[in-house]
Amino acid sequence: MFLIDNKTNKICAIPENTDKLKQYLDEISKK
Amino acid sequence: MNFKNFIYFNCLLLLPTAAFSQGVAIKLHIRGVYESKITLLPLIGTNALKPIVERAGIKNGETTILSVSKDILPTEFVLRFDYKEKESSSPYPCEKHIFISNQNLELWVNPMYCNNNDSSYFQKDEKENTVFARFTKENGKQKEKLGLLQNFLMNYDDTQSQFYKQGTEEYQKRRNNYNHWLKEQATLHKAMFVSHTFGFQYLPQIVFNGSETARQQSVIAHYFDGIDFKDTLLLHTNDLKNFITAYVNIYASLAKTQADLDSLYPLIGKTAIEKARLGNPKLYGWMVDYFYNGYESTNMPAGIKMLEPYINDTACLTTKRQAIEKRLKGIKTLTIGTLAPDFMLKDDAGNDVLFSKYKSVRHCEGGTARPEFISGTEAISAKYKLLLFWSADCSHCKELVGKLYTWYNQQPVNTPNGASYPLVEVFALSLDESETEIPIWQNAITQLPGWKHIRCEGGINSPEANAYLYSQLL
């Protein structure tokens, strides 16, 4: 899976599964 | 008889011989039921678990002959009976595993009891299945006690005691005897295909004087001791795949955390491939294929990266070289921070639009799955787009999509300027392309409202899959 930032159209994560997607979004929301 | 008729006559005589030389015939006598459908499915190869021969409506007392091409022999098959006990009964299945090598088979079957030796049996001089049945019976007896002793010793807590020492000595003695018997059986039946499966039963050495983890590690270190990777007939056995899967599971049981597991999987593959590399190039290639399939189905780039030296080795007869190369290119070029490759898709109004420019249009009225995302009828953008390649006919994909969809329906909603829309918008790109796959996909997406569904024309070779260097779905 490719997670793409809609503003920059750049790949911001390549999560292997839903858990890793959640983990990335949780981390990014804390920044 | 003129010359022309003579040739014709001789051709007729030769026909059964010619057909016979093309493969093996299985003559089946059906009894004990009203009728049965008979299906033969190989357990390995490109047609694994797909019917290669079917006969419908074989009645009680009737005989039918199934022909199997020698190209796929020897190997193990599932002989499936869908029988009706009475004319009014619904069909009921019974499956029997059989080995087919180079001998024509004759089998008397009561499909209701297809695995009962009193009701279903081969001709008296049948070789492969008879030898395998005898071996399995004796092997079960011999391994039962050894298994009990091994389990006891593997879990015993006082490894310094005299009792434990005596137990380990007894185990080693019995293990040696068993492995000796196994070798004798393989030699005795070396002309039989089934003898090539005996090595999978070999009991590897266990170093008992250590911790439980050390014992597990010794099992792993000696796991392949009974396997001859030069024996290409192993590729015809169904056991090879199961044997390697068991190895992966035993090795993976050493992991304490998910992070341990993520780093262990590439190592597991590397260890197994290194063993196979010393054998026949076909087995070496098979092992690379096996782990590539595993890493691809679990989306494990670290595992695919580990395969790189093997696809550069010309001695490795992998069938996945191109697919692995494509994936490696993808891993190297599609990295975090790079621009997402673009492709064309249809927007909600049916117009062609670039993926990078795509915006969803959400409507106030109507039965969308996520009405909380709606803010009038306007084009909106989620903060992120999630691009997912999948096939509705792939079990791993279905599992992944199921979990993702559950999360999607629970994800936090962004509400800048009073408008609400999802944090992540999902673009599910289907690689389904066959006549059987497309209806499955069409049905599946009805259960996934809210996502943007795109079917990529050309499947794995579509512009979308090529842009993202996707090479295989399982």
Side-chain angles (χ1 to χ4, degrees):
Chain A
M1 295 190 287
F2 296 91
L3 189 70
I4 298 156
D5 186 308
N6 225 343
K7 276 188 188 160
T8 63
N9 200 37
K10 286 183 178 174
I11 296 169
C12 49
I14 309 174
E16 289 154 17
N17 51 45
T18 306
D19 288 339
K20 294 201 173 168
L21 172 68
K22 278 195 287 190
Q23 193 182 337
Y24 172 81
L25 292 169
D26 286 346
E27 283 170 13
I28 210 80
S29 69
K30 287 173 194 165
K31 286 183 182 172
Chain B
M1 184 183 288
N2 62 29
F3 186 69
K4 193 176 167 186
N5 282 342
F6 176 75
I7 291 172
Y8 178 65
F9 178 68
N10 270 318
C11 284
L12 282 180
L13 285 176
L14 286 169
L15 262 177
T17 317
F20 179 74
S21 68
Q22 302 280 313
V24 165
I26 303 131
K27 194 172 186 181
L28 289 162
H29 306 274
I30 300 297
R31 56 189 174 75
V33 294
Y34 170 71
E35 68 172 20
S36 182
K37 178 182 167 188
I38 302 163
T39 316
L40 190 67
L41 311 96
L43 280 171
I44 65 147
T46 47
N47 285 320
L49 296 174
K50 290 178 187 163
I52 56 160
V53 190
E54 274 185 352
R55 297 276 186 279
I58 309 299
K59 299 275 191 298
N60 184 35
E62 287 184 348
T63 294
T64 189
I65 296 176
L66 314 179
S67 296
V68 183
S69 165
K70 67 179 177 186
D71 297 342
I72 59 169
L73 300 178
T75 193
E76 193 177 351
F77 290 82
V78 172
L79 185 58
R80 182 184 163 109
F81 301 92
D82 291 282
Y83 64 85
K84 284 183 177 181
E85 193 177 352
K86 297 172 188 168
E87 188 175 3
S88 57
S89 311
S90 294
Y92 199 80
C94 185
E95 292 185 347
K96 184 179 180 67
H97 284 225
I98 62 167
F99 288 94
I100 306 176
S101 182
N102 53 6
Q103 183 187 21
N104 287 330
L105 302 178
E106 191 165 10
L107 180 60
W108 285 263
V109 191
N110 179 338
M112 285 199 290
Y113 309 103
C114 73
N115 287 305
N116 182 322
N117 292 341
D118 294 330
S119 305
S120 300
Y121 46 87
F122 288 97
Q123 76 262 33
K124 280 185 179 168
D125 69 343
E126 197 278 333
K127 293 172 187 165
E128 297 279 354
N129 296 282
T130 307
V131 165
F132 188 73
R134 281 187 201 141
F135 170 79
T136 305
K137 193 176 175 185
E138 183 57 30
N139 186 54
K141 271 190 212 168
Q142 298 225 16
K143 263 197 160 174
E144 188 187 2
K145 299 285 187 297
L146 269 161
L148 287 170
L149 191 52
Q150 183 184 322
N151 278 341
F152 171 73
L153 293 170
M154 290 289 268
N155 296 297
Y156 197 68
D157 56 356
D158 187 2
T159 56
Q160 302 304 314
S161 68
Q162 188 61 23
F163 176 67
Y164 182 75
K165 190 175 174 242
Q166 284 171 341
T168 59
E169 284 169 359
E170 178 64 17
Y171 177 82
Q172 298 297 11
K173 190 179 88 184
R174 288 185 182 222
R175 186 184 74 86
N176 286 338
N177 290 342
Y178 171 78
N179 285 339
H180 181 70
W181 172 79
L182 207 58
K183 202 172 175 183
E184 274 183 347
Q185 290 295 305
T187 307
L188 182 65
H189 301 294
K190 66 180 178 187
M192 305 280 138
F193 165 64
V194 291
S195 69
H196 296 261
T197 67
F198 296 172
F200 294 115
Q201 300 296 324
Y202 181 89
L203 286 175
Q205 183 187 333
I206 302 174
V207 178
F208 283 106
N209 55 349
S211 64
E212 196 181 327
T213 305
R215 278 173 252 164
Q216 267 180 298
Q217 282 168 334
S218 76
V219 171
I220 293 163
H222 294 279
Y223 190 81
F224 295 108
D225 286 0
I227 300 299
D228 176 9
F229 281 109
K230 291 187 174 75
D231 179 6
T232 54
L233 277 179
L234 295 183
L235 296 169
H236 290 245
T237 68
N238 184 43
D239 291 340
L240 180 61
K241 194 175 177 180
N242 298 335
F243 184 74
I244 303 299
T245 303
Y247 174 72
V248 173
N249 291 335
I250 292 170
Y251 211 142
S253 69
L254 290 174
K256 302 278 186 284
T257 64
Q258 184 60 42
D260 286 351
L261 205 53
D262 288 348
S263 60
L264 258 186
Y265 276 127
L267 181 64
I268 296 170
K270 189 176 171 59
T271 315
I273 293 168
E274 283 296 323
K275 292 281 180 190
R277 193 169 67 87
L278 304 173
N280 185 280
K282 285 185 181 171
L283 271 148
Y284 176 19
W286 181 93
M287 197 68 85
V288 168
D289 291 358
Y290 174 89
F291 280 97
Y292 169 65
N293 288 338
Y295 296 139
E296 191 69 287
S297 67
T298 49
N299 194 9
M300 198 170 288
I304 294 167
K305 277 187 204 166
M306 182 277 293
L307 300 174
E308 189 164 13
Y310 303 113
I311 59 156
N312 293 328
D313 181 357
T314 50
C316 176
L317 297 185
T318 170
T319 63
K320 306 287 183 188
R321 185 166 271 113
Q322 281 185 321
I324 297 170
E325 281 171 353
K326 192 174 171 185
R327 283 290 280 128
L328 283 168
K329 194 178 168 192
I331 290 165
K332 285 174 186 169
T333 55
L334 294 172
T335 54
I336 292 166
T338 57
L339 274 177
D342 232 339
F343 58 89
M344 297 298 288
L345 72 157
K346 299 279 184 197
D347 68 11
D348 294 352
N351 302 313
D352 286 334
V353 62
L354 279 168
F355 172 63
S356 57
K357 306 287 181 199
Y358 180 89
K359 289 180 190 295
S360 279
V361 176
R362 301 282 177 179
H363 301 279
C364 283
E365 301 82 22
T368 57
R370 302 295 306 271
E372 68 272 29
F373 294 168
I374 296 164
S375 176
T377 301
E378 62 172 355
I380 56 156
S381 294
K383 188 171 182 185
Y384 300 104
K385 286 172 177 163
L386 184 75
L387 194 75
L388 158 76
F389 287 96
W390 76 303
S391 162
D393 199 25
C394 142
S395 57
H396 166 70
C397 301
K398 282 191 277 188
E399 190 187 336
L400 188 143
V401 161
K403 283 185 183 167
L404 184 66
Y405 195 70
T406 304
W407 168 82
Y408 172 82
N409 279 320
Q410 295 163 354
Q411 67 171 311
V413 174
N414 266 0
T415 56
N417 307 322
S420 61
Y421 50 89
L423 179 66
V424 177
E425 186 157 23
V426 178
F427 293 75
L429 277 68
S430 156
L431 300 176
D432 295 298
E433 55 174 345
S434 73
E435 283 178 13
T436 52
E437 289 167 348
I438 293 171
I440 296 171
W441 170 72
Q442 286 168 331
N443 182 48
I445 63 174
T446 63
Q447 308 301 312
L448 303 166
W451 287 8
K452 178 72 180 170
H453 292 284
I454 302 146
R455 195 176 69 76
C456 304
E457 290 286 346
I460 208 76
N461 297 311
S462 62
E464 297 89 341
N466 280 331
Y468 280 82
L469 296 157
Y470 250 75
S471 55
Q472 180 172 325
L473 279 173
L474 297 172

